[in-house]
Amino acid sequence: SSCNLWTQEEHVIGNMSFLAAGRLNLAGRTGCQFMWRCMRASVQPPVKWSMYLHAPCAPCLSSCQQKLYRTTRSKFLPTVQAKADTAVDVEGVGSLKRAVEVLRSRLQEACNVADTAGLRARLALLEDTASSGNLWTEDPQKAQEIMGQMAALRYEIDTIESLQSTFDDAVFASELLEASEDKKEQLEIMSEAQSLLEKLEGRLDQWETRKLLNGLYDDRSACITINAGAGGVDAMDWAEMLERMYTRWAQAMGYSTRTLDRAAGEEAGLKSVELEVTGIFAYGYLKGEKGTHRLVRSSPFNAKGLRQTSFAGVEVMPLLGDMQVNIDIKESDLQMSFQRAGGAGGQNVNKVETGVRITHVPTGLSVKCTQERTQAANRQIAMDMLKAKLLVVLEEQQAQKVAEIRGDAVKAEWGQQIRNYVFHPYKLVKDTRTGYETSDVQGVMDGELTPFISSFLRLKGQQATQQDLGKEP
């Protein structure tokens, strides 16, 4: 046969043995000849060959063969069609029903957690308070806080109602599928129902993950600092790869990014980079990325192509903005140094020391800001960054004395990694804290970090629940 052989099955009919391909050139001679031989030998043809029962190819068969074809095709046509229709009905409807029941349970649990009735009651109370004529004149700051709370409550209510509406549409489509008798219409309805269920599942995953972001600063924007660690030039290249990974993730999430400071490496990559990720809940999602990231690959900077292990440290802190921060930093605890800023800015950056570096002596924490053209502006930004770092330290150490905390800086070396990225001799990315792993290395490097972030947030939520249970008498 001149057909394209993809997956071959041997069919023996009478004294004839020939190969029937799983995917054939359907306009060729082989299909019609095969069906005619099946009929002649009274052998039931496979379902995938049923198309030849409807339209025999005249050039392929003689007049006698065509006559036999037309008179005997009724013997096989009902059976083949019944098998195909039954497979679609049983498997399609059954899997659809199972998916509906699973999502029904998840949506019910989400509604119980969200407490829509309670949210509406709180919203009504805040609306009554906001409608007071003296609120904006007596306490504008409190009025602004109330408006923010109202917007958050409306968003939660709209989200739950949207999830319920999508589920109702999927249930209606599944019921319509059972009532319909038109096979073409059934396939269209099934496709629409599956699309609705996939959409609902994705939105439920996002909602469940976001509910875990209940920290004090989780809704703030974030600042990511990436430092090359042990590994030489490979470590600097690895730091640049991480910069690209987090930038791609932020773009996929709809966040905006801005490079605050960047120190390029001598040969390749970068020594350090500071990125600002702007968007709601950016810090909540990224706070679990703090730690050492380990890379294993065949080094492109090694003439022999030997396997190289490199490290890079990632630090994440919230951007507080206009948020009121109740933390007192003594001037005597600060050590300031000034430097000439680099990059764009004209001759001013080369003549005036506008860059500011502030070190908090009791803890050893240090921040640097060179993004503005004036020393005063850089000093204010650097102070905000230092406060944010101190707040992260206090939160992680459960409000212990800051003077006792010296281990805030991430050690980018062996034994400290939170995640391993193996490019060679096999492909694997594994989080050492949660155990989540994937072989899609390229996808992770392109910014597909959501599964890792979700697994970490779920782990922290489970740990918090266990601690709360342990405190109960």
Side-chain angles (χ1 to χ4, degrees):
S1 171
S2 61
C3 62
N4 300 322
L5 300 179
W6 283 39
T7 58
Q8 298 178 341
E9 301 175 17
E10 188 174 4
H11 297 271
V12 180
I13 301 178
N15 294 326
M16 268 184 284
S17 177
F18 59 97
L19 293 176
R23 178 173 180 178
L24 299 174
N25 181 5
L26 300 181
R29 175 185 180 90
T30 306
C32 295
Q33 289 284 358
F34 171 60
M35 293 301 300
W36 176 74
R37 289 167 183 167
C38 285
M39 294 177 183
R40 185 178 179 183
S42 297
V43 176
Q44 176 65 50
V47 174
K48 61 187 176 183
W49 293 78
S50 60
M51 64 173 295
Y52 293 103
L53 289 170
H54 298 273
C57 184
C60 297
L61 303 177
S62 66
S63 58
C64 294
Q65 290 173 342
Q66 290 184 46
K67 184 177 181 180
L68 177 64
Y69 201 110
R70 286 190 294 269
T71 55
T72 57
R73 67 177 180 175
S74 59
K75 176 181 178 181
F76 302 108
L77 185 58
T79 305
V80 173
Q81 284 184 336
K83 285 185 177 181
D85 295 344
T86 302
V88 172
D89 292 342
V90 174
E91 295 180 6
V93 177
S95 61
L96 195 63
K97 285 183 177 180
R98 289 191 295 271
V100 167
E101 292 304 319
V102 171
L103 290 177
R104 186 194 303 274
S105 176
R106 289 182 60 186
L107 182 59
Q108 183 62 42
E109 183 178 355
C111 292
N112 294 336
V113 172
D115 187 14
T116 310
L119 293 178
R120 289 195 177 94
R122 289 172 55 192
L123 179 60
L125 182 62
L126 290 176
E127 288 176 346
D128 292 340
T129 305
S131 61
S132 176
N134 300 329
L135 179 62
W136 287 95
T137 56
E138 294 178 356
D139 195 346
Q141 184 177 354
K142 182 180 179 181
Q144 190 172 4
E145 292 178 357
I146 291 176
M147 296 302 293
Q149 294 175 8
M150 290 170 57
L153 289 174
R154 289 194 183 100
Y155 178 79
E156 285 292 331
I157 295 172
D158 292 342
T159 300
I160 294 297
E161 290 179 347
S162 177
L163 292 174
Q164 186 65 53
S165 176
T166 304
F167 178 75
D168 292 340
D169 292 341
V171 171
F172 176 76
S174 63
E175 294 174 352
L176 190 62
L177 177 63
E178 295 181 359
S180 176
E181 296 181 357
D182 186 356
K183 299 304 176 184
K184 183 178 179 180
E185 184 179 290
Q186 282 185 342
L187 292 175
E188 293 177 355
I189 296 173
M190 183 178 296
S191 176
E192 181 180 356
Q194 290 175 345
S195 177
L196 288 170
L197 291 176
E198 290 175 0
K199 177 182 177 182
L200 177 61
E201 185 177 8
R203 294 181 61 186
L204 271 174
D205 289 339
Q206 293 178 359
W207 185 87
E208 291 171 353
T209 301
R210 189 168 57 81
K211 292 303 291 182
L212 297 171
L213 302 178
N214 52 9
L216 183 59
Y217 312 107
D218 284 354
D219 61 338
R220 313 299 297 179
S221 299
C223 181
I224 306 176
T225 303
I226 305 174
N227 296 300
V233 179
D234 282 275
M236 297 181 188
D237 186 54
W238 174 227
E240 188 173 32
M241 293 168 65
L242 289 177
E243 177 194 25
R244 176 183 177 274
M245 181 182 72
Y246 287 119
T247 302
R248 290 290 186 90
W249 174 84
Q251 292 173 353
M253 294 291 293
Y255 296 151
S256 61
T257 59
R258 183 165 67 105
T259 302
L260 302 180
D261 185 63
R262 198 174 195 273
E266 292 85 357
E267 184 175 343
L270 52 88
K271 296 179 180 178
S272 64
V273 64
E274 193 171 333
L275 298 175
E276 179 182 291
V277 182
T278 305
I280 187 170
F281 292 112
Y283 175 71
Y285 286 122
L286 290 171
K287 64 182 180 181
E289 296 298 303
K290 177 183 177 181
T292 301
H293 297 247
R294 171 175 172 255
L295 170 67
V296 180
R297 66 171 179 177
S298 295
S299 174
F301 305 100
N302 190 306
K304 297 181 180 180
L306 299 178
R307 188 171 66 176
Q308 176 75 28
T309 300
S310 310
F311 299 90
V314 176
E315 296 182 4
V316 184
M317 63 180 181
L319 294 179
L320 303 177
D322 297 333
M323 185 177 182
Q324 297 293 328
V325 180
N326 297 323
I327 183 169
D328 185 22
I329 302 178
K330 297 180 180 179
E331 288 289 337
S332 58
D333 292 339
L334 299 179
Q335 181 179 352
M336 296 190 185
S337 59
F338 306 97
Q339 62 189 47
R340 294 179 182 179
Q347 296 181 359
N348 181 66
V349 298
N350 296 320
K351 293 182 178 180
V352 184
E353 293 183 341
T354 57
V356 178
R357 179 186 293 274
I358 302 179
T359 302
H360 189 248
V361 177
T363 62
L365 298 179
S366 178
V367 294
K368 181 181 70 172
C369 181
T370 60
Q371 64 194 68
E372 299 295 335
R373 297 190 61 184
T374 63
Q375 189 179 101
N378 283 329
R379 185 181 186 278
Q380 182 61 42
I381 295 175
M383 285 298 298
D384 292 340
M385 294 168 62
L386 179 61
K387 288 181 179 180
K389 275 197 171 185
L390 290 172
L391 284 173
V392 172
V393 172
L394 289 171
E395 186 179 19
E396 291 179 350
Q397 301 296 333
Q398 299 179 354
Q400 292 181 4
K401 292 182 180 180
V402 179
E404 299 177 359
I405 303 171
R406 299 286 301 185
D408 180 67
V410 175
K411 296 181 180 180
E413 58 188 26
W414 179 267
Q416 304 292 330
Q417 64 269 18
I418 63 167
R419 191 176 300 151
N420 295 316
Y421 305 75
V422 182
F423 289 20
H424 179 80
Y426 53 89
K427 295 185 181 297
L428 181 69
V429 181
K430 182 174 182 178
D431 196 302
T432 59
R433 303 163 298 180
T434 64
Y436 180 84
E437 61 183 42
T438 178
S439 59
D440 186 13
V441 174
Q442 187 59 48
V444 174
M445 299 312 299
D446 286 338
E448 296 179 7
L449 297 174
T450 302
F452 289 95
I453 293 173
S454 299
S455 61
F456 175 77
L457 291 175
R458 293 180 189 279
L459 175 64
K460 299 298 289 184
Q462 293 173 1
Q463 293 175 350
T465 301
Q466 292 174 359
Q467 290 178 0
D468 293 339
L469 292 175
K471 293 179 181 178
E472 295 181 358

